[in-house]
Amino acid sequence: MDAQTWPVGFRCLLLLALVGSARSEGVQTCEEVRKLFQWRLLGAVRGLPDSPRAGPDLQVCISTKPTCCTRKMEERYQIAAHQDMQQFLQTSSSALKFLISRNAAAFQETLETLIKQAENYTSILFCNTYRNMALEAAALVQEFFTDVGLYLFGADVNPEEFVNRFFDSLFPLVYNHLINPGVTDSSLEYSECIRMARRDVSPFDNIPKRVMGQMGRSLLPSRTFLQALNLGIEVINTTDYLHFSKECSRALLKMQYCPHCQGLTLSKPCMGYCLNVMRGCLAHMAELNPHWHAYIRSLEELSDAMHGTYDVEHVLLNFHLLVNDAVIQAHLNGQKLLEEVNKMCGRPVRTSTQSPRCSFDQSKEKHGMKTTTRNSEETLANRRKEFINSLRLYRSFYGGLADQLCANELAAADGLPCWNGEDIVKSYTQRVVGNGIKAQSGNPEVKVKGTDPVINQIIDKLKHVIQLLQGRSPKPDKWGLLQLGSGGGMVEQVSGDCDDEDGCGGSGSGEVKRTLKITD
């Protein structure tokens, strides 16, 4: 035996000798047990034994040897074991929970910033280019982006409706200020007539449909992504405070605190013993693993697909360009539109008048159009990529949780004497079962019965959100213009030829349309 291995071997022999002494002669005093019990339970408890005695009333920590525990102590240990388990679960999931909650908050904050920036871009467009209508357009712009935010963050609003409402309300402004300037007949009836005429005369050509398509492609996936992150937090919060069966509670008590009754306050359970107890207690939770894995994979697929016109950042920050194109289109067709509106609404009163000028804070321009070029590292897409890369490490979190707790927190190191549920031994000799409910039929430490309704409910929620994530994942080779229909349906315009009336961007072609029914 060399100089380095001798001290290690000596310590092991000494420990085995001490353990053997404790097993053969039994503990002589309960002083250490009393101290730890009072410290763990934060205060003195009456009736703690000073020395070992018979414990015929014990329910779990049963031993033929004298014991330092009473029935009251066993009950308190039972509570402590349950609290310890919850603390272990919360500690194990804390990094995962923080990762998801921090990024959910960061994504929402980034989206709020993008919405405000896009609103500024659009307001500046009117102030710089169409100053006569800027003040009247301000309310429309603000209402539109308020609706965008409400929808992104889960409110029951319809993108198709608020896009149509924006262009319906924009048409009277364009008509009065660019097509037929000087009109002073501002009666509600006349303005409403022009507004209602928009869908018949199509002053903005296919641009409203293009906007609807872009909103459908980008807002819905981002909304679903945020909802999925919030569900992930809900799953972790639920499993952190999972109710344990009576059989599990008794097994935890036996593993963690029954050694104290024999004065073995420093002992740790054998690895195999710990695995059987923890895999039994967390058997229902392990059933989450394939669904949790699919949840993370679906988040990754959706995130990867959210680029270009499927990227909410791209769509929002370029919205003002489409608005400008729409106004120009109406102006170019001014004479035709004038004639059509006169037929539908009559001829308004005309006098020369001075429209109120824009009072938009031009200092916002410094934070508006001049910041179109963004640092690539700060884009929403890159934030999502970093998040998914970190989240991918937790794909098997629930499947390996029992093993992780035993290896990192609870079990004795390999080769050291350990607690097997009855005494200190060199190794655990019982069969070690696997993870999951089906594997527990032969578990010698914990009987697992039936299913857990709470876990089943979580699984159902995960299945639902996985379907939503997969349904919102755009497939560029398959999907073209995606529009939201009324009642939560979606109209998918499959890539191919389309004409201008279908809103495919003016290249001229035809499209096949079909409805995808997706329920939120």
Side-chain angles (χ1 to χ4, degrees), residues 30-41 43 48:
C30 296
E31 181 65 24
E32 192 66 25
V33 177
R34 286 166 55 88
K35 287 180 180 178
L36 285 173
F37 182 85
Q38 292 177 11
W39 172 80
R40 177 65 178 83
L41 300 178
L48 298 184

Side-chain angles (χ1 to χ4, degrees), residues 125-335:
L125 167 70
F126 282 103
C127 269
N128 288 351
T129 311
Y130 308 108
R131 297 181 66 84
N132 287 343
M133 68 177 86
L135 278 180
E136 295 171 85
L140 305 181
V141 173
Q142 184 179 32
E143 181 184 9
F144 176 80
F145 284 104
T146 297
D147 287 335
V148 168
L150 288 172
Y151 179 75
L152 274 174
F153 303 133
D156 186 18
V157 294
N158 189 314
E160 182 177 359
E161 291 178 2
F162 65 69
V163 170
N164 272 325
R165 187 164 56 245
F166 174 80
F167 286 104
D168 287 346
S169 300
L170 179 62
F171 183 40
L173 301 186
V174 175
Y175 182 83
N176 291 335
H177 291 284
L178 292 180
I179 297 173
N180 195 11
V183 172
T184 58
D185 183 351
S186 57
S187 68
L188 292 177
E189 292 80 6
Y190 189 74
S191 295
E192 181 65 15
C193 182
I194 299 176
R195 198 181 75 84
M196 295 295 292
R198 197 274 298 180
R199 302 191 197 189
D200 293 322
V201 302
S202 298
F204 307 125
D205 198 35
N206 70 332
I207 292 173
K209 287 186 178 181
R210 289 174 60 189
V211 172
M212 283 182 211
Q214 290 189 8
M215 292 296 165
R217 285 192 295 261
S218 63
L219 296 187
L220 186 57
S222 294
R223 168 186 166 116
T224 306
F225 192 84
L226 278 178
Q227 290 173 336
L229 295 189
N230 289 327
L231 176 64
I233 298 170
E234 180 185 342
V235 169
I236 298 168
N237 284 336
T238 303
T239 55
D240 276 354
Y241 296 94
L242 199 64
H243 173 75
F244 298 108
S245 67
K246 182 179 179 180
E247 289 79 7
C248 169
S249 297
R250 291 169 65 90
L252 289 173
L253 165 61
K254 187 177 180 181
M255 182 179 76
Q256 292 179 256
Y257 288 104
C258 284
H260 290 213
C261 297
Q262 297 184 29
L264 303 172
T265 55
L266 299 180
S267 69
K268 282 192 170 188
C270 303
M271 177 60 76
Y273 175 48
C274 179
L275 289 174
N276 276 341
V277 172
M278 299 308 291
R279 287 174 178 176
C281 286
L282 301 180
H284 294 104
M285 197 182 295
E287 297 298 307
L288 287 172
N289 198 58
H291 307 287
W292 182 256
H293 192 285
Y295 161 77
I296 294 178
R297 185 178 65 250
S298 298
L299 276 173
E300 182 176 5
E301 289 173 354
L302 179 59
S303 179
D304 288 344
M306 291 161 64
H307 57 80
T309 55
Y310 295 94
D311 178 14
V312 68
E313 182 171 20
H314 171 88
V315 169
L316 290 179
L317 295 184
N318 287 280
F319 172 75
H320 67 286
L321 300 177
L322 287 175
V323 173
N324 188 49
D325 289 346
V327 175
I328 291 173
Q329 184 66 39
H331 192 221
L332 291 174
N333 295 325
Q335 187 58 42

Side-chain angles (χ1 to χ4, degrees), residues 360-397:
F360 184 75
D361 183 1
Q362 293 297 303
S363 66
K364 293 183 179 180
E365 185 174 0
K366 296 177 182 178
H367 307 287
M369 295 187 184
K370 292 183 180 178
T371 63
T372 302
T373 303
R374 298 167 62 85
N375 188 326
S376 61
E377 295 181 359
E378 297 176 355
T379 65
L380 195 58
N382 279 319
R383 285 178 182 234
R384 283 196 307 267
K385 185 176 181 180
E386 287 182 16
F387 166 64
I388 293 296
N389 286 339
S390 298
L391 188 62
R392 200 183 291 121
L393 301 175
Y394 295 92
R395 285 176 296 186
S396 299
F397 174 75

Side-chain angles (χ1 to χ4, degrees), residues 380-446:
L380 195 58
N382 279 319
R383 285 178 182 234
R384 283 196 307 267
K385 185 176 181 180
E386 287 182 16
F387 166 64
I388 293 296
N389 286 339
S390 298
L391 188 62
R392 200 183 291 121
L393 301 175
Y394 295 92
R395 285 176 296 186
S396 299
F397 174 75
Y398 286 106
L401 186 56
D403 299 50
Q404 177 188 338
L405 288 173
C406 287
N408 297 343
E409 302 284 348
L410 298 172
D414 289 343
L416 293 182
C418 54
W419 173 253
N420 70 349
E422 296 179 358
D423 209 338
I424 296 296
V425 295
K426 294 181 180 179
S427 63
Y428 183 69
T429 57
Q430 296 278 6
R431 173 195 172 197
V432 179
V433 300
N435 282 295
I437 294 176
K438 291 182 179 179
Q440 303 312 308
S441 59
N443 193 324
E445 309 299 341
V446 185

